[in-house]
Amino acid sequence: MAVTPEERIADLGLALPEVVPPVASYAPTVRSGDHVYVAGQLPFVDGALPVTGKVGDGVTAEVARDMAARCALNGIAAVRAEIGDLSKVVRVVKLTGFVASAPDFTGQPGVINGASDLIGRVFGDAGVHARSAVGAVSLPLDAPVEVEMIVEVR
């Protein structure tokens, strides 16, 4: 019997959080046909950002990588809220990660691997995705990372 994404999340010792309410004028997800577009997710834990600041200036790449994984977990929760069952995910198509970076920090891909690796562990082959990892001067609420996703569903 195939293991479901929800079972994989539990096996990782994680639990899907409640969907984070929007911090501005947007929807957490929009479904268009067979695709769910997930708005940028910040690394909220219980409604708060556990870390703020710039990566390479006060926030280490390792901590930011963990925060990127949290962003992905929050995004997965938003997908589940939209479709009801993560087994309906056909493929994670695209992930875009933003890293609030000190001027000389160039390790954005390694930071966003935190999100990509979690997506892969949860969805297996369906989690292999195209990706961008972008440095930013700042992100909302001084978050160190933000992740958005496009997911194909049935």
Side-chain angles (χ1 to χ4, degrees):
M1 182 172 169
V3 177
T4 68
E6 284 91 347
E7 290 169 335
R8 288 184 185 128
I9 290 167
D11 287 348
L12 292 169
L14 300 171
L16 285 178
E18 293 297 316
V19 176
V20 177
V23 297
S25 300
Y26 61 89
T29 58
V30 171
R31 185 168 180 174
S32 180
D34 292 336
H35 289 85
V36 175
Y37 296 80
V38 180
Q41 299 291 308
L42 299 179
F44 285 113
V45 176
D46 297 326
L49 292 175
V51 177
T52 58
K54 307 280 183 286
V55 182
D57 183 17
V59 178
T60 66
E62 294 77 19
V63 167
R65 182 183 164 94
D66 291 344
M67 292 297 98
R70 183 60 192 209
C71 292
L73 188 66
N74 291 343
I76 293 167
V79 170
R80 186 182 69 177
E82 179 68 35
I83 65 172
D85 177 0
L86 292 174
S87 294
K88 295 178 183 177
V89 171
V90 174
R91 172 154 220 160
V92 177
V93 178
K94 175 79 189 268
L95 185 141
T96 304
F98 303 93
V99 181
S101 304
D104 59 347
F105 182 78
T106 59
Q108 292 84 3
V111 168
I112 300 305
N113 279 348
S116 292
D117 292 347
L118 180 65
I119 295 290
R121 288 200 274 307
V122 170
F123 294 107
D125 290 343
V128 177
H129 54 272
R131 189 182 89 177
S132 299
V134 180
V137 172
S138 66
L139 293 171
L141 307 177
D142 200 26
V145 292
E146 180 175 358
V147 171
E148 63 182 33
M149 303 186 303
I150 302 169
V151 179
E152 181 183 358
V153 298
R154 61 173 159 261

